[in-house]
Amino acid sequence: LSRTFDGALRLREMEEKIRAEEMVARGELTGSLYESASRAYSAERWEDAAEHARHATVLLPSTDPRRAELLCVRGEALLRAGHAREAVEPFALVADGEPDPHRAQALYSGALALEASGQEENAAAYRRRLRGEYPDTPWAGRLGAPPEPSPRR
C-alpha cells in the first residue's frame, strides 16, 4: 500500500511539473507570437501580423490584458490588407467584451470595417457608442463632429 501511495504521489508531482513546464512554454510561445505580430505590423506585413496575432490570442486566456490589444492588431492588419469582413470579428470581440482600454479603438476601427463591409447601420451604431462611451478619447476625436439631425417635415 505504501508503494502504491508513493507511486501515486510521484505521478501527481510529475503531472504538476509537466503542467508547469507547459505553462512556461505556452507563455514563451505567446510572447514570441506577440512580438512577431508587432514586428510584422510595423513592417506593414499585414497578413503576417494578422496571423501571428490570431495564434497568440488563441493561446491567451480571456483575462490576459494583451488579448484585447492583439485582437485590435489583428483587426487593424486585416483591415489594412483589404479584408474588412474578417476584420469585423476581432473588433467586435473587444467592443462587445469586458471593459478594456482598447475598446475605444475597437469601436472606431470596427466602424471602419463594418462600413467597408457594407454594414452602414452597424457602423453607425459603433460610432454612436464611441461618442457616447468614450467622447474625450482621440478615437472619438477622429470621428469629427456628430452629423446634424435631418430636419423633420
Side-chain angles (χ1 to χ4, degrees), residues 18-34:
I18 290 169
R19 272 196 287 277
E21 289 173 359
E22 286 174 348
M23 292 302 290
V24 168
R26 190 176 194 174
E28 289 173 2
L29 179 59
T30 302
S32 175
L33 288 167
Y34 178 91

Side-chain angles (χ1 to χ4, degrees), residues 40-100:
Y41 190 89
S42 294
E44 299 182 4
R45 293 188 347 260
W46 311 125
E47 305 275 345
D48 291 339
E51 195 61 12
H52 292 301
R54 182 181 72 79
H55 287 293
T57 58
V58 168
L59 294 173
L60 286 172
S62 61
T63 56
D64 191 302
R66 296 174 296 175
R67 184 170 164 72
E69 179 184 0
L70 282 163
L71 285 167
C72 284
V73 166
R74 177 165 168 69
E76 297 286 354
L78 287 167
L79 194 55
R80 291 173 187 257
H83 304 294
R85 284 190 199 284
E86 291 85 358
V88 171
E89 181 185 6
F91 291 130
L93 289 170
V94 177
D96 300 331
E98 294 297 316
D100 184 272

Side-chain angles (χ1 to χ4, degrees), residues 1-13:
L1 187 63
S2 176
R3 271 196 253 159
T4 304
F5 180 75
D6 288 344
L9 184 60
R10 273 192 244 122
L11 181 60
R12 185 178 316 168
E13 288 171 353

